[in-house]
Amino acid sequence: MLTLQRRQLVGHDILLARHGNHISSMRVDRARNCVIALLDDGSVDSAPNLIMPGLNLPDTFRSIMREDWKFFAIVSASVAAFATTMIGATYALAGMAGNPALAQMLSSVPAY
């Protein structure tokens, strides 16, 4: 079963292994794909977020939406158009029937 999980940043673990409790703060540099740590003595160290450059990481929800947003938008618009067409056809059929009981039945929405 496919599970979408947040990707863990390897750079945090590398920096914690190198410096332990001597890290003041850490931030993620997404442009360089690394984690940068400010140490207690004022120096800066960085570590990459890749274990191996060719490693295929599991998909996340964000990565799927980034790649397939056009497909999801087209599917959503198609479903909305189909639902609108079906509702319009029901009202048109109710109007053409001429029988008030049939028109009432076709145009009423059941309350659940």
Side-chain angles (χ1 to χ4, degrees), residues 77-90:
S78 299
V79 168
F82 179 74
T84 303
T85 304
M86 294 308 294
I87 291 170
T90 302

Side-chain angles (χ1 to χ4, degrees), residues 15 22-27 35-40 43 45:
L15 289 170
H22 300 289
I23 298 173
S24 296
S25 65
M26 283 195 271
R27 69 178 177 86
V35 176
I36 299 172
L38 177 63
L39 304 176
D40 290 339
S43 62
D45 190 13

Side-chain angles (χ1 to χ4, degrees), residues 24-62:
S24 296
S25 65
M26 283 195 271
R27 69 178 177 86
V28 178
D29 185 359
R30 298 206 186 276
R32 291 179 31 210
N33 196 22
C34 68
V35 176
I36 299 172
L38 177 63
L39 304 176
D40 290 339
D41 62 357
S43 62
V44 176
D45 190 13
S46 65
N49 279 326
L50 295 177
I51 298 173
M52 189 172 81
L55 181 66
N56 290 329
L57 296 173
D59 289 335
T60 62
F61 181 75
R62 222 178 248 161

